[in-house]
Structure formats: C-alpha cells, structure tokens
Amino acid sequence: MKARDLIAETGSALKANKGKSALTILGIVIGITAVITMTSLVGGIRDALVSEMGMNAARAISIYPYNGSGINDDQLAAMREQLPDYEYLSPTNYGSAQEIAAPTTAEKLSASITGVDEHYFDVSGLKIAQGRAFTQSESAEGSMSVILDKQAVQKLFGSSNENPVGKIVTLDGTEATVVGVVENSALMGGGGGGNGSLNIYMPVSTVSLRFSSSGTGYQQIFGLAKQGVDVAKLTEQSKVAAAKILRILADQIDQELSVSSAQSVIDQMSSFMGAFQLLAGAVAGISLLVGGIGIMNMMLTNVTERIREIGLRRALGATRHDVTAQFLAEAIAITVMGGLIGTVLGYGLSMSLSGLVGGMVGGMAIAPSVSAQSVMLAVGICIAVGVIFGNYPARRAARLDPVDALRHQ
C-alpha cells in the first residue's frame, strides 16, 4: 500500500469514528499537556533564577571564616598573591544602623548594611538599576555614600519608581548621599534585611569604621574566577590557601571556614529542578499509560467492528503487512494528534500559570521555556505509545482468516 493511500485510509477511518477517536485522544492530550506544562515552567523558573544571579554567577566564590575575627588587609593581600586565578577578590563587611531616614520618611526604620568595595557588584550578581557603583576612592576612604535596593527606595521615598540618586539619607543621625540603586538581591551573601530592616550597601571601609560591631576585619570575601578557570578546582585551592593564611588547623577547617561557589548553588538548583521534572514526568507517564490502554481498547473494538472490511481487503489482494500498517497508522495518528494538541495546551497553560508561579518564588518574571527538544520528545513519546499499544490490535487484525472474516455477521 502506498503512503498516500495509507494516509487517506487512516483519515477516513478516524472521521468515521469521531466521537470514539476524540475520547481516545483525550488521554494522550492530558499526559502531554502535563509534560509540556511542567517542563516549560521548570525551565522558565531555572532561566529566571540564573538571570537573577547575573552573568558572572557561575564564577562567584565565597570565603567566610566562622571564627569572628575576620580577615585583615595583609591576609587579603596574601590571598590575592597565592590565588592568581581570581579576577577580583572583593572584601565584605556587615553592620547595622538603628535608624535610617529620608526627608519624606514617615516611619522609623532600621537598616542592615553590607560594606563592599568597587568590584563587589561585578562579583555578586547585583545589577545597578540607577546611578553607579562605588568608586575606588569611596571604597578606600570611608565615604558616606550609600546604595539602596528597591524596597529601601519604596520605604524611604514612598515609591520604588522614585530616583533617589543624589539625595540625602541619614544613618543614626549621620548624612549619607545615595549614589545608586540595585534591582535585585545578591546571589551569595549580602545584607540580611531581616526583622523588618532595610538592606543597603556602603563602602566597606565606612562600615568597618562606623557601623560594624566586629572591628575592621573583613567578615567575608567574594571572588570572581577568571574566564575559563575550573571553578570547582579553584574552590578547593581557595579553601587550602585560606586555611593556611588564616592559620586554621587541618582538622578544624570544616568547623572554622566555609568556601563555596555559586556554581554549586546552580548545580543544586538544577538537581532539584531535575528531580521535580522527573516526578512530573512520572505522573504524566501514568496519564500516557492510561491513554495507551484506551488506544488499545479502541483499536481492538475497531478490529471487531471491521472484521468484514478486513476480510474484503484481504480478498482484494491486501497483504497482512498492509492490514497491520493500516491499523498501526490509525493508532499513531491518534497519539500524534493528541501530542500536538497537548503541546499547544501545555504551552498555553504554562503561560497562564507563569505569573502565579513567579509570585510564589519571589515575584520573578518567568517566561515558560519550551525547547525544540521537549516538543520532539513529546511527539516521539506519542509515536512510541501508538506503536506499542497499537501493535497488538494491528497484528490481530492481520492474522484474521479472510474467508472467516467475510462470513462474519
């Protein structure tokens, strides 16, 4: 039988049983819709999180001693000398202000302060939305400059759309000039902003001298690995070098020092997303199994109803292969149509749910991610379901004796 004739016969058979075909397709539609919806949403969440982290996220490494004494300038210089694979090693300190206010502030607010240098925003994944980052002189000289996040702008100036650059805020009675606004949260570390306090950034020297309770030592170092450097290997090298420079005993390293990379955070996130996708796939697989059983049931019914037709085809010269191909083509056509409908519905449903999911994971803008591979996989699964569950009815039809089939009433 020619392919054109096979397609025509398949279309005619499905049209003759529209209601039955539609109900059979429904099981496949549900399964593929679930697969596409979950994979596109999970992919969209992953892409949004990576985007929030920033372009340099995979190269960021954090060095954090637990002993509380911090890291001094000499130790930082030694790290820079012994670890040349870093593009930057950015010192960070933390402090707080009991009261932060602007001329329009109506309520009393406190602030968690992150002290950073001029390279911190390149390393951490923070993006400057308005204004600029700190200059080298501001970082070194203890300048009373401040960078706010969107929440702080909202609380201090009444609207997150306000441009506060150049305006004055007071921290525990001391004036500071706003030089910039960041649009997202840092990937690793950063000010806490907990207990209702605002999260702001100031030059690291300013925080060490005026707002830190731990003295002038740096509480954390953020590093940005050079392009092409093995981040996992550099993380281990950093742990060994930092322990040596900070004079931490070998058996105390895990208790007194934390060295972690943003790549590990990304890997953990990808692993979690992969596990979630696997679970969603298992649930969708059950739907496809039920749909496949429905297809087999329908095709077996078709064989029974069309015994005389099969006998007539065989009497007119159709081979067993032709009969098998016809019924198998019908099963595959049903599953492929279900797959295509499910793909469209899945993408539409993921678009509808993206806003809701984005609100649940921190107000991120999530765009569903449907890859060509996902669509091809869905179509491939549909064809496989059609072949597997349509094979037995097709072979049963092909094995019918033509003479007995023509006698069937």
Side-chain angles (χ1 to χ4, degrees):
M1 183 183 294
K2 294 181 180 180
R4 182 177 61 185
D5 296 332
L6 183 61
I7 293 172
E9 290 292 341
T10 300
S12 299
L14 295 180
K15 288 179 182 178
N17 298 280
K18 292 180 181 178
K20 190 187 298 183
S21 299
L23 289 174
T24 306
I25 287 173
L26 186 60
I28 303 299
V29 169
I30 293 173
I32 296 300
T33 298
V35 170
I36 296 297
T37 300
M38 298 310 300
T39 55
S40 59
L41 279 177
V42 169
I45 293 171
R46 182 176 57 247
D47 294 344
L49 287 173
V50 172
S51 177
E52 287 283 314
M53 292 173 180
M55 294 296 291
N56 294 329
R59 297 191 287 144
I61 296 175
S62 165
I63 302 172
Y64 181 77
Y66 295 133
N67 55 24
S69 60
I71 300 170
N72 60 40
D73 287 316
D74 291 338
Q75 291 169 330
L76 177 58
M79 289 184 190
R80 286 171 172 160
E81 181 180 352
Q82 294 183 29
L83 298 167
D85 286 335
Y86 281 106
E87 189 170 333
Y88 306 118
L89 278 173
S90 176
T92 307
N93 208 346
Y94 303 105
S96 62
Q98 297 304 308
E99 185 174 352
I100 179 173
T104 56
T105 305
E107 58 181 312
K108 184 176 180 180
L109 302 166
S110 60
S112 295
I113 307 172
T114 304
V116 302
D117 71 356
E118 69 274 16
H119 299 303
Y120 176 82
F121 300 98
D122 295 320
V123 175
S124 67
L126 280 165
K127 299 177 182 178
I128 300 293
Q130 295 172 306
R132 59 174 175 80
F134 300 123
T135 64
Q136 185 176 3
S137 60
E138 286 173 333
S139 300
E141 296 172 4
S143 169
M144 286 301 294
S145 302
V146 63
I147 293 176
L148 309 175
D149 65 7
K150 290 288 188 179
Q151 181 186 17
V153 174
Q154 168 73 39
K155 291 287 188 179
L156 293 171
F157 297 95
S159 172
S160 60
N161 296 321
E162 180 75 18
N163 184 0
V165 175
K167 296 183 179 180
I168 301 297
V169 298
T170 58
L171 298 165
D172 291 342
T174 303
E175 292 186 347
T177 303
V178 179
V179 298
V181 178
V182 292
E183 66 179 23
N184 63 338
S185 299
L187 168 64
M188 302 169 65
N195 300 320
S197 63
L198 303 182
N199 189 23
I200 68 172
Y201 302 85
M202 297 188 75
V204 64
S205 55
T206 306
V207 175
S208 297
L209 292 172
R210 294 174 177 266
F211 299 102
S212 176
S213 60
S214 60
T216 58
Y218 305 124
Q219 293 171 280
Q220 194 167 8
I221 304 296
F222 288 99
L224 181 66
K226 292 179 179 178
Q227 289 280 6
V229 170
D230 186 330
V231 174
K233 183 177 179 181
L234 182 57
T235 301
E236 290 301 315
Q237 292 174 345
S238 301
K239 193 170 189 178
V240 173
K244 182 178 179 181
I245 292 169
L246 298 177
R247 298 181 179 178
I248 298 174
L249 298 177
D251 59 349
Q252 296 295 315
I253 292 178
D254 291 336
Q255 289 74 36
E256 297 189 20
L257 181 66
S258 170
V259 180
S260 59
S261 69
Q263 183 62 52
S264 65
V265 176
I266 295 172
D267 291 342
Q268 290 175 3
M269 178 186 69
S270 297
S271 177
F272 172 77
M273 293 297 184
F276 189 74
Q277 280 184 317
L278 185 62
L279 178 62
V283 174
I286 295 173
S287 298
L288 289 173
L289 177 62
V290 173
I293 294 172
I295 289 172
M296 181 181 289
N297 181 61
M298 173 193 169
M299 297 307 297
L300 287 172
T301 303
N302 281 350
V303 170
T304 302
E305 293 176 347
R306 295 160 62 184
I307 288 179
R308 285 181 61 83
E309 176 191 331
I310 296 168
L312 183 59
R313 288 180 183 276
R314 291 296 308 280
L316 294 175
T319 65
R320 287 187 174 183
H321 178 271
D322 292 333
V323 175
T324 301
Q326 179 186 346
F327 281 88
L328 204 55
E330 291 177 22
I332 293 174
I334 289 173
T335 55
V336 170
M337 283 192 292
L340 294 176
I341 295 171
T343 298
V344 174
L345 290 178
Y347 185 70
L349 184 59
S350 64
M351 288 288 290
S352 302
L353 294 176
S354 59
L356 175 63
V357 175
M360 294 172 61
V361 293
M364 290 188 300
I366 295 176
S369 175
V370 179
S371 64
Q373 291 87 343
S374 297
V375 175
M376 291 175 64
L377 177 62
V379 173
I381 290 173
C382 289
I383 293 174
V385 169
V387 171
I388 293 171
F389 289 93
N391 185 62
Y392 173 70
R395 291 175 64 85
R396 180 176 176 181
R399 286 197 299 265
L400 289 174
D401 183 84
V403 176
D404 292 339
L406 285 171
R407 291 174 179 171
H408 184 78
Q409 297 296 326

